Amino acid sequence: MVDKTENDFRYLTDIIEGDVYIGGAESHIFRHIAIIAKQLQEQYPNVRYHLSSGNAEDITSLLDKGLLDFALIVHPRQLPHYHYQKLPSQDIWGVILPTTDPLAKKDSIALEDIQHLPLILSRQAVTKTQSDNQLLNWLGDLNQLNIVSTFNLSYNALFMVEESLGYLIGFDQLTYNPNLTFRPLEPLLTSDHYLVWKKDKVFSAAAQLFLDKLQG
């Protein structure tokens, strides 16, 4: 924290340079962050970006401690002490499964298709602390499900799917493994994403530049 604060003030000059700290879960929505960073790099080549991956609980904890400038999350309504900016795309919820699985022949997956099958779920998704947890509402009574594994980030969990341990419920575009495929949930379930920051946050020049570009 001390190092980050020193760096923030070190670059408070007319020449904008320095560090921007951004955290979030694994999602293709991060591409929007990358596009903004690339646009800024052409004019401000000395601005650097530091990315942290984690679930919403981990990332907001870092945000609260001042170790991040921004966090990419799904549920801003649970964070009244934050400002937030909605990003211009959505994630689609679905099932990631082997391409050879019989369910891969379906266009979409209903709850009755997987209710008694082994499931691999995000720990955040099955936490009842969020009043607007869409996936939890879709799943219904967790005691009626066969949950064989949970995860906080999907990369390692995908190996479980590849070895046929279970069916992973998560966002689209999480895997480029040719042995796995994605089928959306039925009825369709989507999540908006937001970039959030603390209301009392004093930004470095680099972080303020990033925010201005995001909101511009």
Side-chain angles (χ1 to χ4, degrees):
M1 182 62 188
V2 172
D3 291 340
K4 181 180 183 305
T5 302
E6 288 178 349
N7 284 335
D8 287 348
F9 284 99
R10 183 180 303 155
Y11 296 112
L12 290 178
T13 66
D14 292 336
I15 300 175
I16 296 180
E17 56 183 331
D19 303 283
V20 182
Y21 296 82
I22 307 171
E26 294 170 330
S27 168
H28 79 282
I29 306 299
F30 238 109
R31 182 179 299 276
H32 186 68
I33 304 299
I35 291 172
I36 293 176
K38 176 58 178 177
Q39 291 171 348
L40 289 176
Q41 185 187 51
E42 296 174 359
Q43 187 175 359
Y44 305 97
N46 293 324
V47 173
R48 296 174 296 274
Y49 301 89
H50 305 276
L51 307 181
S52 298
S53 296
N55 60 29
E57 182 179 356
D58 297 334
I59 292 302
T60 53
S61 175
L62 293 175
L63 205 59
D64 288 337
K65 294 175 181 177
L67 299 177
L68 292 177
D69 297 312
F70 306 99
L72 183 65
I73 66 170
V74 178
H75 300 284
R77 289 187 294 277
Q78 303 303 313
L79 302 172
H81 52 296
Y82 283 81
H83 292 298
Y84 60 89
Q85 173 82 26
K86 183 178 179 181
L87 298 180
S89 54
Q90 295 178 318
D91 270 320
I92 298 173
W93 286 96
V95 178
I96 298 176
L97 67 166
T99 55
T100 56
D101 192 281
L103 283 180
K105 297 178 181 179
K106 297 177 66 70
D107 293 329
S108 58
I109 305 294
L111 180 60
E112 54 264 28
D113 294 325
I114 59 172
Q115 192 162 20
H116 302 294
L117 297 178
L119 300 179
I120 301 172
L121 301 177
S122 162
R123 284 195 288 276
Q124 180 185 350
V126 297
T127 299
K128 298 182 180 181
T129 57
Q130 302 176 31
S131 60
D132 54 353
N133 190 324
Q134 299 164 291
L135 180 61
L136 190 57
N137 293 336
W138 188 90
L139 291 169
D141 186 359
L142 297 180
N143 293 323
Q144 300 300 315
L145 302 178
N146 179 19
I147 302 173
V148 298
S149 180
T150 64
F151 62 91
N152 67 331
L153 294 176
S154 63
Y155 180 82
N156 289 337
L158 291 172
F159 290 110
M160 302 287 202
V161 180
E162 193 171 8
E163 295 302 323
S164 299
L165 180 73
Y167 299 79
L168 188 148
I169 298 181
F171 291 144
D172 60 329
Q173 302 189 47
L174 283 181
T175 178
Y176 298 97
N177 187 328
N179 298 318
L180 303 178
T181 189
F182 174 89
R183 293 295 179 269
L185 299 182
E186 179 186 325
L188 184 67
L189 186 64
T190 62
S191 285
D192 293 318
H193 284 262
Y194 300 79
L195 199 71
V196 305
W197 60 96
K198 294 181 68 174
K199 289 183 176 180
D200 59 353
K201 175 68 175 178
V202 178
F203 285 125
S204 67
Q208 185 62 55
L209 179 71
F210 179 87
L211 179 60
D212 292 343
K213 184 67 174 178
L214 175 75
Q215 296 179 318

